[in-house]
Amino acid sequence: MSTPQFTTVGLVGTGAMGRGIAQIAAQAGAVVRLFDTQADAVAKAQAALGAQWDKLAEKGKLSADAVAACKARLKPAAQLADLADCDLVVEAIVERLDVKQKLFAELEAIVQPTAVLATNTSSLSVTAIAAGLKHPQRFAGYHFFNPVPLMKVVECIAGLKTDPAVCQRLAAFARQMGHTPVQAGDTPGFIVNHAGRGYGTEALRIVGEGVADFATIDRILKDQVGFRLGPFELFDLTALDVSHPVMESIYRQYYDEPRYRPSVITAQRLAGGVVGKKGGEGFYRYVDGKAQMAPEPAVPQVAELPPVWVSTRAARRAELLQLLKDLGAKIETGQSPSPQALTVVAPLGFDVTTVAVVERLDPARTVGIDLLVEDAATRRRVLATNPATRSDMRDAAHALFARDGKPVSVIRDSGGFVTQRVVATIVNIAADMCQQRVCTPQDLETAVTLGLGYPLGPLAMGDRFGPASVLEVLFNLQTVYGDPRYRPSPWLRRRGAIGLSLLHEET
């Protein structure tokens, strides 16, 4: 084992986060001194860590000698003064600015002048925490994610006065602990919590418009894009008493930036104590830890399908026509649909109503299909009606597009349906983070794929579906909703306009 970047590490706080950091630091070869204001918390943490290492040995992931060495390197600290010889001290305590400031003022008077001080804050300003220190240049953010041993990304955050060498040392130590470091500016939410705003908040807006229910939105985003959890499953896992305050905090810290606007839906559910899986009820009810999800509506039985006419302006029109042919549809090829035809549109960003009006189609016979993602790459098709769509036309469209057994979700009218809206919001926020120089595009992709488990990083997702298409979705969403939330980031607008990858950095 190589000599660790920091040989003696102090950990203040013995909750799950503090224990996790202590575990990987000791495994990396550092002596770890544990301190907590609760008298018995350190002994309990030592016992828990010892049991964890014993389990790793049982699974063959650590040798008996390695376990003994880790336990020997874990030292209790009865008082803060016992951290005097540490060359790195990390706090993992309550998310309160005044409490953290007081702690670091005390630590600064105890540790050596060369020691590095770091906060594991997830939502507070690193600069603000360091504001009262005499030597803020040796202070930085060191943000790990729970559970620390499994979540392999750590954000190294430079405050306004942080010496760049401090973040470089912290990054090197993260690598020694088996983690992947990313460098972030001191902005609200840093990288992961900032980039994650679009997924849940846009899904909440869609529900708030009555477009679809929670389960339908979860199914669509998992099956069309490949997210491992739908947004409402994710809210239930993280719990609203954690996630809603983060949404509010980032929104307020950005002075009510519309892109980060929270939802009254989560505020109400939090107030009512319906917070998620840990309480047995969130967006879903849980029985024996399993979400109780209503079955999908059955495919309608339609005796005779009408002929189908496809809008000349439909996205992926050639692909859509081939799909209809494969499904056995009778396709009309005239300049306009016959009075009997089911009319299919495939807009980007617009709602079905707008398309029907602009293209002078009969809204009663018009249904939309979302083709941002090519059909062959999805496990679900999504159709949208408009307020005038006849029920027989809705059922005919559902039955037709379900003919080959692929699941079909039928939702109410929505600019950008579901997938387009959520993907475009995620990509736009990520692009603007790069525009603000919060981090490099590469670090953003790394942080989000490791920290949030997205199937692709947000910028790679934008490239995958086409920056020009994402840009079109956003412009049209702005037209439909008149909301500055959807205004495109300059990073996205410029690269989309000239055909550059969203990962491209200017020299």
Side-chain angles (χ1 to χ4, degrees), residues 17 20-25 27-28 120 142-156 170-182 446 450:
M17 187 69 75
I21 300 170
Q23 178 182 333
I24 61 172
Q27 288 173 202
N120 184 62
Y142 209 28
H143 181 214
F144 292 81
F145 296 83
N146 253 330
V148 176
L150 300 180
M151 297 292 285
K152 296 292 187 178
V153 66
V154 56
E155 296 172 326
C156 303
L170 290 171
F173 189 46
R175 283 188 284 269
Q176 288 181 326
M177 292 186 288
H179 277 47
T180 300
V182 290
T446 298
L450 291 178

Side-chain angles (χ1 to χ4, degrees), residues 203-220:
L204 285 163
R205 284 179 66 81
I206 295 167
V207 166
E209 291 170 21
V211 171
D213 59 23
F214 307 128
T216 299
I217 292 171
D218 279 351
R219 290 183 181 116
I220 289 170

Side-chain angles (χ1 to χ4, degrees), residues 151-501:
M151 297 292 285
K152 296 292 187 178
V153 66
V154 56
E155 296 172 326
C156 303
I157 305 114
L160 194 61
K161 297 182 179 179
T162 303
D163 183 340
V166 167
C167 283
Q168 291 168 10
R169 291 186 68 194
L170 290 171
F173 189 46
R175 283 188 284 269
Q176 288 181 326
M177 292 186 288
H179 277 47
T180 300
V182 290
Q183 301 285 347
D186 186 19
T187 53
F190 311 132
I191 301 177
V192 174
N193 283 331
H194 188 163
R197 291 310 87 217
Y199 191 45
T201 58
E202 192 61 28
L204 285 163
R205 284 179 66 81
I206 295 167
V207 166
E209 291 170 21
V211 171
D213 59 23
F214 307 128
T216 299
I217 292 171
D218 279 351
R219 290 183 181 116
I220 289 170
L221 290 168
K222 288 189 294 183
D223 290 349
Q224 284 213 314
V225 189
F227 291 103
R228 286 187 292 191
L229 291 175
F232 300 104
E233 291 174 312
L234 186 59
F235 277 131
D236 275 1
L237 184 64
T238 57
L240 292 185
D241 55 347
V242 174
S243 54
H244 183 78
V246 171
M247 285 192 284
E248 285 196 330
S249 172
I250 291 176
Y251 177 62
R252 295 300 179 194
Q253 286 183 73
Y254 268 105
Y255 296 99
D256 296 3
E257 162 57 56
R259 289 191 183 111
Y260 313 126
R261 189 186 300 125
S263 170
V264 68
I265 294 171
T266 49
Q268 288 175 337
R269 296 175 85 86
L270 175 58
V274 185
V275 299
K277 184 176 181 179
K278 69 181 183 182
E281 184 178 6
F283 291 102
Y284 301 99
R285 283 192 315 105
Y286 291 84
V287 176
D288 297 328
K290 293 184 178 180
Q292 304 302 294
M293 195 175 293
E296 293 194 61
V299 177
Q301 298 296 312
V302 177
E304 184 176 354
L305 292 173
V308 180
W309 183 88
V310 175
S311 165
T312 57
R313 303 182 191 179
R316 302 185 187 275
R317 187 170 187 270
E319 182 183 321
L320 176 54
L321 287 168
Q322 183 61 51
L323 171 63
L324 288 166
K325 182 180 177 181
D326 294 342
L327 293 171
K330 181 182 177 182
I331 301 171
E332 293 189 354
T333 57
Q335 289 296 309
S336 59
S338 71
Q340 296 77 36
L342 166 66
T343 303
V344 178
V345 299
L348 290 178
F350 282 127
D351 55 3
V352 178
T353 300
T354 300
V355 175
V357 171
V358 169
E359 297 188 22
R360 298 185 178 182
L361 304 172
D362 179 1
R365 294 184 288 119
T366 303
V367 172
I369 183 169
D370 186 352
L371 284 176
L372 175 68
V373 188
E374 61 267 41
D375 183 74
T378 71
R379 301 194 308 272
R380 177 176 297 272
R381 298 184 183 115
V382 179
L383 306 177
T385 59
N386 69 76
T389 302
R390 294 198 322 242
S391 59
D392 62 320
M393 288 294 167
R394 177 199 64 211
D395 290 349
H398 189 170
L400 173 61
F401 282 102
R403 261 186 171 178
D404 59 357
K406 184 175 283 192
V408 173
S409 292
V410 182
I411 63 174
R412 296 182 184 89
D413 211 358
S414 165
F417 294 69
V418 173
T419 294
Q420 293 175 28
R421 288 177 66 163
V422 172
V423 166
T425 301
I426 290 170
V427 172
N428 196 37
I429 287 174
D432 212 56
M433 289 173 67
C434 294
Q435 188 66 48
Q436 295 174 41
R437 303 301 192 266
V438 170
C439 57
T440 66
Q442 291 72 26
D443 273 1
L444 189 147
E445 297 290 282
T446 298
V448 171
T449 51
L450 291 178
L452 295 175
Y454 284 6
L456 287 172
L459 302 176
M461 194 180 293
D463 283 350
R464 162 74 176 78
F465 301 127
S469 293
V470 175
L471 200 56
E472 183 177 351
V473 169
L474 289 167
F475 279 135
N476 293 340
L477 283 169
Q478 266 193 299
T479 300
V480 172
Y481 292 106
D483 192 337
R485 172 183 181 82
Y486 302 112
R487 70 194 190 283
S489 165
W491 185 280
L492 171 60
R493 184 171 55 79
R494 291 170 184 144
R495 283 156 183 76
I498 59 180
L500 281 178
S501 164

